[in-house]
Amino acid sequence: MILVMSPRHTDAELDDLRERVERTGARTVVSRGAGRTIVGCVGDHDALESVARLALTGVESATPIRTPYKLAARGIAADRSVVRAGPGAGVAIGAHALAVIAGPCSVEGRDMLHTTARAVRSSGAVMLRGGAFKPRSSPYAFQGLGVEALEMLAEVRAVTGMPIVTEVLDPRQVDLVAAHADVLQIGARNMQNFALLAEVGRVRRPVLLKRGMSCTVTELLLAAEYVLAQGNPDVILCERGIRTFDTVTRNCLDVGAIAALKAETHLPVIADPSHAAGRADLVLPLACAAVAVGADGLIVEVHPEPARARSDADQTLTPHQFAELMAAIAPVARAVGRALSEPRAAALPSAEPTHCRRAHA
Amino acid sequence: MILVMSPRHTDAELDDLRERVERTGARTVVSRGAGRTIVGCVGDHDALESVARLALTGVESATPIRTPYKLAARGIAADRSVVRAGPGAGVAIGAHALAVIAGPCSVEGRDMLHTTARAVRSSGAVMLRGGAFKPRSSPYAFQGLGVEALEMLAEVRAVTGMPIVTEVLDPRQVDLVAAHADVLQIGARNMQNFALLAEVGRVRRPVLLKRGMSCTVTELLLAAEYVLAQGNPDVILCERGIRTFDTVTRNCLDVGAIAALKAETHLPVIADPSHAAGRADLVLPLACAAVAVGADGLIVEVHPEPARARSDADQTLTPHQFAELMAAIAPVARAVGRALSEPRAAALPSAEPTHCRRAHA
Amino acid sequence: MILVMSPRHTDAELDDLRERVERTGARTVVSRGAGRTIVGCVGDHDALESVARLALTGVESATPIRTPYKLAARGIAADRSVVRAGPGAGVAIGAHALAVIAGPCSVEGRDMLHTTARAVRSSGAVMLRGGAFKPRSSPYAFQGLGVEALEMLAEVRAVTGMPIVTEVLDPRQVDLVAAHADVLQIGARNMQNFALLAEVGRVRRPVLLKRGMSCTVTELLLAAEYVLAQGNPDVILCERGIRTFDTVTRNCLDVGAIAALKAETHLPVIADPSHAAGRADLVLPLACAAVAVGADGLIVEVHPEPARARSDADQTLTPHQFAELMAAIAPVARAVGRALSEPRAAALPSAEPTHCRRAHA
Amino acid sequence: MILVMSPRHTDAELDDLRERVERTGARTVVSRGAGRTIVGCVGDHDALESVARLALTGVESATPIRTPYKLAARGIAADRSVVRAGPGAGVAIGAHALAVIAGPCSVEGRDMLHTTARAVRSSGAVMLRGGAFKPRSSPYAFQGLGVEALEMLAEVRAVTGMPIVTEVLDPRQVDLVAAHADVLQIGARNMQNFALLAEVGRVRRPVLLKRGMSCTVTELLLAAEYVLAQGNPDVILCERGIRTFDTVTRNCLDVGAIAALKAETHLPVIADPSHAAGRADLVLPLACAAVAVGADGLIVEVHPEPARARSDADQTLTPHQFAELMAAIAPVARAVGRALSEPRAAALPSAEPTHCRRAHA
């Protein structure tokens, strides 16, 4: 149930309303936008209906949420959500400026990580990606450097001021990863790992949730709902290509899903052109397509020497290719009314990731 | 086999070369670009190898074509192909300027067609689409007005000067449709209708070939090869979305396929955001994505009153929405180094469609 | 609209009823089963409703057909349809006994065809398949021997008495192929080639309609409806595997579709385990699965020397492997209450294919 | 590397061989079949090659394992594996007799569980399924009764003697579930939850591993390899239908994958016709297809009153329908040379699940 408050409602009316709704066992989420306040109510449908039938003072309209996801639904928020991450909550995803995340598939060592971080930051990336724990189809493939990689990531953040996003695979590692990283990534294979979703819902770190390779847009939003329902409002959705019959690209970048997500949810949506393309030469045009269709950011694989990368070598860009990509997407971003984040002139080192806030909460 | 001529080759050397190659039973296609001339040779592999092993004067390099498609392969042409269509061959697809084709799904009557044509032309469309023969899943659905519709299309061309593209379904109708239309469309369901492909390969009209809903990029290029192999060099490829497990859009616009096609072939590639989206509100963002990824044009469904359209009502734009789409894609086109065709200020009426030429032939 | 006649209706009542219905512009199809007669009416919904509201004597019940296909719907026929084909209409598909069709992918010569025909007949096949016109992805691949192959097929029928099924690709060839063959095959790529469907709907030959590689069960039944609506009641449906993301088999044999088709339609349904498997070692288990799920027959590729076959070599069985397949499916057929057609002891040569009748018509 | 021992090798030769191989860091798995012994070696390819080049006494042949999965590969085992589960290891999966597992989607209460268990046991089921922890797309859907349900399952096992299979969702719950259940199920959504796979690889309970809805056969075998590589040899694979474009069934039962798995691996393979069909009326024919194609067993959803089931109501059979299914598959099993497990006449109650052994270990 979405309750839109009348423009001149009082705080007392709002408090009274929330109390009544919560008495039915439902939860309320208040979202304040330019000129209007919305109270999202998630709970038993019939109980909410009976509350809504009362003559509620200060309420302009009451509309049921017809989608299976509630907290993720577009209408529950007065505005689009902006997720903030990193030292000083300095990076915003979902704001006017595009947010580009870049870095190696796997953290392979201290030097390559520093080199990559400096290179992508100088081209305009605002966050560093790097895998510490790698989900690999084969148990015999390189599984990542683990805790050691987390420490390298934290170290590079301290030096560069770039927030860190890294994948978490196991509910038992959520606290460990959250202690080092600014954003927790849930990979495509774990999109419906509900134990893991619930666990990242309990920490105060933004979650980057990748779409499963054959999951529908509705299933992606329901997976986000698992995180939101635990109290963590900071979910960034990521389209990374779906599995089809064709192998000309590794996955099929579903730009229609990005457009549909922007219509269906207030959460920010980014794209991963690297995993979609599966080949370096197509990453740039796919990045342009994602920006043009309305993505709020990108996540791109970059390595100082892609040919020597221990995973995803074929789809990884050199720092130079990444600079070209950034130059290519900048005018596309402007063409669709967005800007590109400027490289952070003065990095503000901080060893400890700071808490993040949700724009509409 | 691709033979690149040396910069200072003589005409006699070129003629001699072609004669030798053709003596093996192979065909040759000469393509002249800025500063270089290429002779594409399609025939028996071993025979071509033996010719190439000779010390050929005037030839700089000889490279086998490793893809199953030959005439469609990127390397066989010195430059990207530009397909020209319509009265005075006045419309170019594959050139610097994007070419936007628009019009109703089906031709439903004279008035609606005139209204639509004028509206889309004033927004910058360079060609008019309209179905006379409609392929419908059910035999009980509206099948198009047939010959009557062809006549209306020709009439509207005479008045507006806009070239006409319309679908042909049956090899027996190719001559009839070619007598009225400037471009022959092969629909997605007929992409592997080889009898029809061969027939449109025999006429002198450009062919707009839509990708089958589950056909690979390689299969699309092989379908184009059927047309090219019959001697018709003017094929425009069209990505219109593929079938997947998700139903949030009608089809999944495969922007990766557009990018891959631009890498694999010299033929122009356009996109159909209307059939991909399946819903009017997502046509504009998908159009932007297609332009950003490198499409050479778009084909868009427009109807004066979409709600009353006899087919594809949900995905059809109003003239006003189409104008917004054109306004939205113009800066995206510029962002990727393209322009948008200007509305033709002075229409040049001509009752008879004229022949078309291929840029690189 | 399905009208079930009361058990003691008179012929006059039936005639009167049909006349009234047909006066609305609808068509009627009478189907007589054990103890009941059904009149299927296909036409304008409202007009049929108004007829049904009259107190019709002799009619027990009137039910609208809610599926988009009408003549193909299960309820329109009193019993399952049996399609009869070949000299003396001697082969039945959809009857108690399974019908197995076998033969080479392409007709490559007189001798190989005779050898194959004798071999498969001796193992229990009741019909011979063989491609004269081959739809190939590439224009440079072997396209079949054409008319020459049709003549070889007719010749082998004359000698062995086996009816012939062969593919027709072009509406202009329907009469030619129908003059030689007993059953006209529409291949997967042409399932929605509506011009071709309409044309085979006009001749008196059974049609073997293969499911398109990404077509739904509903679309397959609508394609059958195109043939039925032209007056040809003899359609055999064929599941041949669908396209998915996995390549362990060439296509995914959709046994669920076979089961669903048996629930949705009165038409016979067969399976093609050869094109589904794409590899010879899996054809036998897939054949067993198809029989167990309820298929009315199989179509299997057999060649005297598969390794030398000009098409589909990998999935083609030797005559010996085919005999093993027949031995394997016989007990499975019995397990699901079916028999396997006996090899025809005495072949009845006939140069001219005879007309066929529909069981329930 | 697969080392086949010569028929008259000595134990000393075998011990010596294993020692040499393990000195390279590789692991060895000895498999003794009728008349031959195989030593599977999994480790560094080059090191294994160098060992194999030595003149190894007692070794008949050395063959590299070319598939990415090693311990799951067909050739590494002398015979097909039989997984034994339950009190007294009394139930065998992968043996001559088909093993049918049945029970409710979710454990909803003590009475319904007892009723279902007695009913399915009397029809020939050898194991009881029932969800305690349910993975649901929506956080607001019924998530299972949890620990309470585990206790009910253990209680029903004590009374009926039927082993229990139930799903585990979280690596932290593996010990808890293993303390109550005889077989641990990994659901389709968790097939590539590598943390969970590793954890079930560490306990001594057989694992029922369901194929992910868009995972390839190779990926399924690699997921099994994660379990095997941890030392748990008892993996049962389960095909439960894949996601495609058609919705006539909930998922597409991929019988070709079952046939391919039987060719690729020694592990037992069962099928889940309930989740494939998604509708009760198609479960029986799909069960017949799965048995005919070579599945070693089935897992079927049964509920005393399907219409009142809290999950998967549409696809759940009544006890009566399940009895019909068992009657239908029995002759199909015999037709493909298999038997159906007899209902256990005398249940042997045991509160504690016993350890299980692998046939070929």
Side-chain angles (χ1 to χ4, degrees):
Chain A
M1 180 78 61
I2 295 167
L3 303 176
V4 179
M5 303 303 290
S6 54
R8 281 183 299 270
H9 73 274
T10 64
D11 283 358
E13 282 167 348
L14 180 60
D15 290 347
D16 175 60
L17 178 66
R18 295 184 69 178
E19 199 191 312
R20 285 191 196 208
V21 169
E22 289 172 2
R23 225 180 288 143
T24 73
R27 68 186 296 172
T28 60
V29 184
V30 177
S31 166
R32 288 190 176 86
R36 65 175 186 158
T37 298
I38 284 176
V39 184
C41 312
V42 178
D44 178 70
H45 179 73
D46 292 341
L48 288 173
E49 285 280 307
S50 68
V51 170
R53 267 195 300 275
L54 302 174
L56 297 169
T57 55
V59 173
E60 201 172 83
S61 69
T63 324
I65 310 175
R66 301 202 185 281
T67 50
Y69 39 89
K70 310 294 175 189
L71 297 167
R74 179 72 189 85
I76 213 172
D79 289 315
R80 294 196 177 281
S81 291
V82 176
V83 173
R84 294 185 177 278
V91 168
I93 294 140
H96 177 69
L98 284 192
V100 179
I101 304 167
C105 177
S106 310
V107 174
E108 296 170 3
R110 191 164 274 104
D111 286 353
M112 66 78 72
L113 194 62
H114 274 277
T115 306
T116 311
R118 273 189 299 263
V120 301
R121 193 182 55 163
S122 76
S123 295
V126 295
M127 203 182 300
L128 182 67
R129 62 153 290 154
F133 302 98
K134 298 300 304 172
R136 303 301 296 277
S137 296
S138 165
Y140 307 123
F142 173 58
Q143 310 273 320
L145 297 181
V147 177
E148 201 187 346
L150 290 180
E151 286 161 4
M152 292 176 194
L153 286 164
E155 199 182 297
V156 171
R157 180 185 51 220
V159 175
T160 63
M162 294 183 89
I164 297 297
V165 55
T166 197
E167 182 164 355
V168 58
L169 295 175
D170 186 327
R172 296 166 299 189
Q173 291 172 330
V174 168
D175 288 336
L176 172 68
V177 177
H180 291 79
D182 301 279
V183 175
L184 305 179
Q185 180 178 318
I186 303 291
R189 292 181 182 86
N190 280 317
M191 192 200 91
Q192 292 192 314
N193 179 342
F194 301 118
L196 186 59
L197 293 176
E199 204 61 35
V200 298
R202 286 182 202 113
V203 295
R204 295 292 291 163
R205 280 282 171 279
V207 173
L208 172 51
L209 179 62
K210 295 186 118 182
R211 182 184 183 190
M213 63 187 174
S214 284
C215 291
T216 63
V217 161
T218 297
E219 288 167 344
L220 173 56
L221 289 169
L222 283 168
E225 192 84 6
Y226 265 91
V227 180
L228 301 173
Q230 292 294 335
N232 185 343
D234 292 308
V235 178
I236 305 153
L237 304 172
C238 181
E239 160 62 25
R240 43 76 77 196
I242 56 174
R243 192 165 259 194
T244 74
F245 55 86
D246 203 351
T247 54
V248 74
T249 49
R250 183 174 177 188
N251 292 288
C252 174
L253 185 70
D254 186 358
V255 286
I258 298 175
L261 284 167
K262 297 298 290 183
E264 290 295 317
T265 185
H266 57 88
L267 298 170
V269 182
I270 69 170
D272 177 346
S274 303
H275 281 85
R279 43 190 270 199
D281 67 323
L282 300 187
V283 174
L284 186 151
L286 291 189
C288 290
V291 171
V293 88
D296 296 301
L298 299 174
I299 181 165
V300 180
E301 288 186 342
V302 179
H303 188 286
E305 293 177 89
R308 300 178 62 179
R310 297 186 69 177
S311 48
D312 286 351
D314 291 345
Q315 72 200 33
T316 296
L317 303 186
T318 62
H320 179 71
Q321 289 170 323
F322 177 69
E324 289 176 330
L325 178 148
M326 293 298 282
I329 63 171
V332 178
R334 284 191 297 270
V336 295
R338 304 291 285 259
L340 196 60
S341 291
E342 289 302 306
R344 300 186 73 210
L348 302 167
S350 154
E352 190 203 357
T354 49
H355 292 314
C356 41
R357 294 157 309 185
R358 189 195 203 169
H360 73 83
Chain B
M1 182 77 62
I2 296 166
L3 303 176
V4 179
M5 302 303 291
S6 55
R8 282 183 300 271
H9 72 272
T10 63
D11 283 357
E13 282 167 346
L14 181 60
D15 290 347
D16 176 57
L17 177 69
R18 294 184 69 177
E19 198 189 313
R20 285 191 197 207
V21 169
E22 289 172 2
R23 225 181 287 141
T24 72
R27 68 188 294 173
T28 60
V29 184
V30 177
S31 166
R32 287 190 177 86
R36 65 173 188 159
T37 298
I38 284 177
V39 184
C41 313
V42 178
D44 179 70
H45 178 74
D46 291 343
L48 288 173
E49 285 279 307
S50 68
V51 171
R53 266 195 300 275
L54 301 174
L56 297 168
T57 56
V59 173
E60 201 172 82
S61 69
T63 324
I65 310 176
R66 300 201 186 281
T67 50
Y69 38 88
K70 309 295 176 191
L71 297 168
R74 179 73 189 85
I76 213 171
D79 289 317
R80 295 196 175 281
S81 290
V82 176
V83 173
R84 293 185 177 277
V91 167
I93 295 138
H96 177 68
L98 284 192
V100 179
I101 304 167
C105 177
S106 310
V107 174
E108 297 169 2
R110 191 164 275 105
D111 286 352
M112 66 79 72
L113 195 61
H114 273 277
T115 305
T116 312
R118 273 190 299 264
V120 300
R121 193 182 57 162
S122 76
S123 296
V126 296
M127 202 182 298
L128 182 68
R129 61 153 290 155
F133 302 98
K134 298 300 303 171
R136 303 300 297 276
S137 296
S138 165
Y140 307 122
F142 173 58
Q143 310 273 321
L145 296 181
V147 178
E148 199 186 347
L150 291 179
E151 286 162 3
M152 292 176 194
L153 286 164
E155 197 183 296
V156 171
R157 180 184 52 219
V159 175
T160 63
M162 294 182 89
I164 296 297
V165 55
T166 197
E167 183 165 354
V168 59
L169 295 175
D170 187 328
R172 296 167 297 191
Q173 290 173 331
V174 168
D175 287 337
L176 172 69
V177 177
H180 292 79
D182 302 278
V183 176
L184 305 179
Q185 179 177 317
I186 303 290
R189 292 182 182 86
N190 280 317
M191 192 200 89
Q192 293 192 314
N193 180 342
F194 302 120
L196 184 60
L197 293 176
E199 204 61 36
V200 297
R202 287 182 201 112
V203 295
R204 296 291 293 161
R205 280 283 170 279
V207 174
L208 172 51
L209 178 62
K210 295 187 116 181
R211 181 184 184 190
M213 65 187 172
S214 284
C215 290
T216 63
V217 161
T218 298
E219 288 167 343
L220 173 57
L221 289 169
L222 283 167
E225 192 84 6
Y226 265 91
V227 180
L228 301 173
Q230 293 294 337
N232 185 344
D234 292 309
V235 178
I236 305 153
L237 304 173
C238 181
E239 160 61 27
R240 43 76 76 195
I242 57 174
R243 193 164 259 193
T244 74
F245 55 86
D246 204 351
T247 53
V248 74
T249 48
R250 183 175 177 187
N251 292 287
C252 174
L253 185 70
D254 187 358
V255 286
I258 298 174
L261 284 167
K262 297 297 291 182
E264 290 294 319
T265 184
H266 57 87
L267 297 171
V269 182
I270 69 169
D272 176 347
S274 303
H275 280 85
R279 45 189 268 199
D281 67 322
L282 300 187
V283 174
L284 186 151
L286 291 189
C288 290
V291 171
V293 89
D296 296 302
L298 300 174
I299 181 165
V300 180
E301 288 186 343
V302 180
H303 188 285
E305 292 177 87
R308 300 179 62 179
R310 296 185 70 176
S311 48
D312 285 352
D314 291 345
Q315 72 200 32
T316 297
L317 301 187
T318 61
H320 178 71
Q321 289 169 323
F322 178 69
E324 289 177 328
L325 179 148
M326 294 297 282
I329 63 171
V332 179
R334 284 191 298 271
V336 294
R338 304 290 286 259
L340 196 60
S341 292
E342 288 302 305
R344 302 186 70 209
L348 302 164
S350 155
E352 190 203 356
T354 50
H355 291 315
C356 40
R357 294 156 309 186
R358 189 196 204 168
H360 73 83
Chain C
M1 181 78 60
I2 296 167
L3 303 176
V4 179
M5 302 303 291
S6 55
R8 280 184 302 270
H9 72 273
T10 63
D11 283 358
E13 283 166 346
L14 181 59
D15 290 348
D16 176 57
L17 177 67
R18 296 183 68 178
E19 200 190 310
R20 285 188 196 212
V21 169
E22 289 171 2
R23 226 179 287 142
T24 71
R27 67 188 294 172
T28 61
V29 183
V30 177
S31 165
R32 288 190 176 85
R36 64 174 187 156
T37 298
I38 283 177
V39 184
C41 313
V42 178
D44 178 70
H45 178 72
D46 291 342
L48 288 173
E49 284 280 305
S50 69
V51 171
R53 265 195 300 275
L54 301 175
L56 296 168
T57 56
V59 173
E60 202 171 80
S61 69
T63 324
I65 310 175
R66 301 201 185 279
T67 51
Y69 39 88
K70 309 294 175 190
L71 298 167
R74 178 73 189 86
I76 211 171
D79 290 316
R80 293 195 177 282
S81 290
V82 177
V83 173
R84 294 186 177 278
V91 167
I93 294 139
H96 177 68
L98 283 192
V100 179
I101 304 167
C105 177
S106 310
V107 174
E108 296 168 4
R110 193 164 272 104
D111 285 354
M112 68 76 72
L113 195 62
H114 273 276
T115 306
T116 311
R118 274 190 299 264
V120 301
R121 192 180 59 163
S122 78
S123 296
V126 296
M127 203 182 300
L128 183 67
R129 63 153 288 154
F133 302 97
K134 298 299 303 172
R136 303 302 295 277
S137 295
S138 166
Y140 308 121
F142 173 58
Q143 310 272 323
L145 297 180
V147 177
E148 199 187 348
L150 290 180
E151 285 161 5
M152 292 176 193
L153 285 164
E155 197 182 298
V156 171
R157 180 184 52 219
V159 175
T160 63
M162 293 183 89
I164 297 298
V165 55
T166 197
E167 183 164 354
V168 58
L169 294 175
D170 187 327
R172 296 166 298 189
Q173 291 173 329
V174 167
D175 287 336
L176 172 70
V177 177
H180 292 81
D182 301 278
V183 176
L184 305 179
Q185 181 178 315
I186 303 290
R189 290 181 183 86
N190 281 317
M191 192 199 91
Q192 292 192 315
N193 179 340
F194 301 120
L196 185 59
L197 293 175
E199 203 62 36
V200 298
R202 287 183 200 112
V203 295
R204 295 294 291 165
R205 282 283 170 276
V207 173
L208 172 50
L209 177 63
K210 294 187 119 182
R211 182 184 183 189
M213 64 188 174
S214 284
C215 290
T216 64
V217 161
T218 297
E219 288 167 343
L220 173 57
L221 289 168
L222 283 168
E225 192 84 5
Y226 264 91
V227 180
L228 300 172
Q230 292 293 337
N232 185 344
D234 292 308
V235 177
I236 305 153
L237 304 172
C238 181
E239 160 61 27
R240 44 75 79 196
I242 56 174
R243 192 164 262 196
T244 74
F245 55 87
D246 204 351
T247 53
V248 73
T249 49
R250 183 175 176 187
N251 292 288
C252 175
L253 185 71
D254 186 357
V255 288
I258 299 175
L261 284 167
K262 297 298 290 183
E264 290 295 319
T265 184
H266 57 88
L267 297 171
V269 182
I270 70 170
D272 176 346
S274 303
H275 281 84
R279 45 190 268 198
D281 68 322
L282 300 188
V283 174
L284 187 151
L286 291 190
C288 290
V291 172
V293 88
D296 295 302
L298 299 174
I299 181 163
V300 180
E301 288 186 342
V302 180
H303 188 286
E305 292 176 90
R308 300 179 61 181
R310 297 184 69 176
S311 49
D312 285 352
D314 291 344
Q315 72 199 34
T316 297
L317 302 186
T318 62
H320 179 70
Q321 289 170 323
F322 178 69
E324 288 177 330
L325 178 149
M326 293 298 281
I329 64 171
V332 178
R334 284 192 297 272
V336 294
R338 304 292 285 259
L340 197 59
S341 291
E342 289 303 306
R344 301 187 70 208
L348 301 167
S350 154
E352 190 205 359
T354 51
H355 290 315
C356 41
R357 293 157 310 186
R358 186 193 206 173
H360 73 82
Chain D
M1 180 78 62
I2 296 167
L3 303 175
V4 179
M5 302 303 291
S6 55
R8 280 184 301 269
H9 73 274
T10 64
D11 284 357
E13 283 167 347
L14 181 59
D15 290 346
D16 176 58
L17 176 68
R18 294 184 68 178
E19 201 190 311
R20 286 191 197 209
V21 169
E22 289 172 1
R23 226 179 288 141
T24 72
R27 66 187 296 173
T28 61
V29 184
V30 178
S31 165
R32 288 190 175 86
R36 65 174 187 154
T37 298
I38 284 175
V39 183
C41 311
V42 178
D44 178 70
H45 179 73
D46 292 341
L48 288 172
E49 285 279 306
S50 69
V51 171
R53 268 194 299 275
L54 301 175
L56 297 168
T57 56
V59 173
E60 204 172 81
S61 69
T63 325
I65 311 175
R66 301 200 187 280
T67 51
Y69 39 88
K70 309 294 175 189
L71 298 166
R74 179 74 189 87
I76 211 171
D79 290 316
R80 294 195 177 281
S81 290
V82 177
V83 173
R84 294 184 178 279
V91 167
I93 294 138
H96 176 69
L98 284 191
V100 179
I101 304 167
C105 176
S106 310
V107 174
E108 296 169 3
R110 193 164 272 107
D111 286 353
M112 67 78 71
L113 194 62
H114 275 276
T115 305
T116 311
R118 275 190 298 264
V120 301
R121 191 180 60 164
S122 76
S123 296
V126 296
M127 203 182 298
L128 183 67
R129 64 153 288 154
F133 302 99
K134 298 299 303 172
R136 302 301 296 278
S137 295
S138 165
Y140 308 122
F142 174 58
Q143 310 272 322
L145 297 180
V147 178
E148 200 187 347
L150 289 180
E151 285 162 4
M152 291 176 193
L153 286 164
E155 198 183 298
V156 170
R157 180 184 54 218
V159 175
T160 62
M162 294 182 89
I164 297 298
V165 56
T166 198
E167 182 164 355
V168 58
L169 295 175
D170 187 327
R172 296 166 298 189
Q173 291 172 330
V174 167
D175 287 336
L176 173 69
V177 177
H180 291 81
D182 301 278
V183 176
L184 304 178
Q185 180 178 318
I186 302 291
R189 290 182 184 85
N190 280 316
M191 193 200 90
Q192 293 191 315
N193 179 342
F194 302 120
L196 185 59
L197 293 175
E199 204 61 37
V200 299
R202 288 182 200 112
V203 296
R204 295 294 291 163
R205 283 281 172 278
V207 173
L208 172 51
L209 178 62
K210 295 187 117 182
R211 182 184 185 190
M213 63 188 175
S214 284
C215 290
T216 65
V217 161
T218 297
E219 288 167 340
L220 173 57
L221 289 168
L222 282 168
E225 192 83 5
Y226 265 91
V227 180
L228 302 172
Q230 292 293 337
N232 186 344
D234 292 308
V235 177
I236 305 153
L237 303 172
C238 181
E239 160 62 25
R240 43 76 78 194
I242 56 174
R243 192 165 261 193
T244 74
F245 55 86
D246 204 352
T247 54
V248 74
T249 49
R250 183 174 176 188
N251 292 287
C252 175
L253 185 70
D254 187 357
V255 287
I258 299 176
L261 284 167
K262 297 299 289 184
E264 289 296 318
T265 184
H266 56 88
L267 297 171
V269 182
I270 70 171
D272 177 346
S274 303
H275 280 84
R279 44 190 268 199
D281 68 322
L282 300 187
V283 174
L284 187 151
L286 291 190
C288 290
V291 171
V293 88
D296 295 303
L298 299 173
I299 181 164
V300 180
E301 289 186 340
V302 180
H303 188 286
E305 293 176 89
R308 300 179 61 179
R310 298 186 68 177
S311 48
D312 285 352
D314 291 345
Q315 72 200 33
T316 297
L317 302 186
T318 63
H320 178 71
Q321 290 170 322
F322 178 69
E324 289 177 328
L325 178 150
M326 293 298 281
I329 63 172
V332 178
R334 285 192 297 272
V336 294
R338 303 292 285 260
L340 196 60
S341 291
E342 288 303 304
R344 302 186 71 209
L348 300 168
S350 154
E352 191 204 358
T354 50
H355 291 314
C356 41
R357 292 156 312 185
R358 188 192 202 173
H360 72 83

